[in-house]
Amino acid sequence: AQKVTQAQTEISVVEKEDVTLDCVYETRDTTYYLFWYKQPPSGELVFLIRRNSFDEQNEISGRYSWNFQKSTSSFNFTITASQVVDSAVYFCALNRQGGAQKLVFGQGTRLTINP
Amino acid sequence: GAGVSQSPSNKVTEKGKDVELRCDPISGHTALYWYRQSLGQGLEFLIYFQGNSAPDKSGLPSDRFSAERTGGSVSTLTIQRTQQEDSAVYLCASSRLGGTYVGYTFGSGTRLTVV
């Protein structure tokens, strides 16, 4: 069975602070994908990143960075110099590779950036 | 179309009535997924389609829920004899199988309120 755990239900920081959202996953599959999605107040899900299980290189995209550690089954997401527009619910997700595969989502972390 | 289209965007129904939710995926996307998001909760997988067949219906919460897809395109999620606990946002996503990975595209959802 697959499971994604986002232990942080809510995080609140002041603008310009760095913030890390934790994600821990469980799977018996040897190949899988990990994802992060952003859900702003408007409700649509916005794709941020997909990471292949055999690629443990960290990735940086502007103020966003992701740290994938297979040894601890974690895929954490860091926002550097946070901005008010980063306020949203962030979901970590997992699916196995091959064909049409359902995404298994964590419960989400509500991030509030205060001015 | 350009994106995944869901209708209606909002639906208020009386307890015990049947409802139909529609999802029109991106043209050419073979896979289609239904998720449910209850207030303040994560996304719960319901069912997915590969073409017109549904290899995984494991997430449907009860036999009051059913879904079909015709012509490899539009899908309808039907909830019979609605209950108040069915109130949620129902999200549809589609993805393409094979070729260059394009990811899952989510619709804006149907907010269902059972009164």
Side-chain angles (χ1 to χ4, degrees):
Chain A
Q2 299 173 316
K3 184 178 179 182
V4 176
T5 302
Q6 294 179 254
Q8 304 150 309
T9 307
E10 295 191 30
I11 299 176
S12 181
V13 300
V14 177
E15 198 172 20
K16 297 183 183 175
E17 286 186 16
D18 298 347
V19 58
T20 295
L21 309 181
D22 298 332
C23 173
V24 174
Y25 63 92
E26 296 173 31
T27 181
R28 294 181 180 176
D29 298 309
T30 54
T31 56
Y32 48 90
Y33 291 112
L34 293 162
F35 301 77
W36 276 95
Y37 282 86
K38 174 182 180 179
Q39 188 177 43
S42 53
E44 78 276 18
L45 276 165
V46 178
F47 168 81
L48 296 178
I49 190 172
R50 181 186 76 150
R51 171 62 71 207
N52 194 312
S53 57
F54 56 73
D55 181 2
E56 286 194 68
Q57 277 196 340
N58 290 334
E59 181 153 343
I60 298 174
S61 176
R63 296 183 298 105
Y64 295 171
S65 62
W66 291 269
N67 181 272
F68 175 31
Q69 293 198 355
K70 226 170 173 178
S71 60
T72 55
S73 297
S74 65
F75 186 44
N76 296 338
F77 172 32
T78 297
I79 302 175
T80 303
S82 60
Q83 300 176 2
V84 173
V85 293
D86 296 328
S87 296
V89 180
Y90 290 85
F91 291 98
C92 181
L94 163 75
N95 76 349
R96 58 168 59 103
Q97 296 187 19
Q101 300 292 347
K102 67 184 181 187
L103 282 168
V104 175
F105 285 87
Q107 289 299 99
T109 296
R110 180 176 300 278
L111 177 63
T112 302
I113 311 296
N114 299 299
Chain B
V4 176
S5 178
Q6 291 188 246
S7 62
S9 54
N10 277 286
K11 176 72 177 179
V12 180
T13 190
E14 290 181 356
K15 178 181 172 182
K17 295 281 180 69
D18 298 352
V19 295
E20 284 190 353
L21 312 180
R22 176 188 168 105
C23 173
D24 199 343
I26 291 175
S27 178
H29 279 196
T30 312
L32 185 148
Y33 313 78
W34 283 99
Y35 288 86
R36 178 169 73 173
Q37 185 175 23
S38 302
L39 186 63
Q41 299 297 309
L43 280 82
E44 174 190 7
F45 167 77
L46 298 178
I47 185 172
Y48 85 80
F49 290 89
Q50 193 160 338
N52 291 334
S53 64
D56 189 348
K57 306 178 184 180
S58 62
L60 294 177
S62 75
D63 58 9
R64 296 187 295 105
F65 287 72
S66 63
E68 66 174 12
R69 188 180 186 194
T70 54
S73 181
V74 172
S75 175
T76 303
L77 177 68
T78 301
I79 308 173
Q80 296 179 309
R81 305 181 303 282
T82 51
Q83 303 294 314
Q84 288 186 330
E85 61 262 29
D86 300 334
S87 296
V89 176
Y90 290 81
L91 289 162
C92 175
S94 70
S95 68
R96 188 176 69 194
L97 300 179
T100 303
Y101 177 75
V102 296
Y104 303 81
T105 302
F106 282 83
S108 298
T110 294
R111 181 176 298 277
L112 175 66
T113 304
V114 182
V115 298

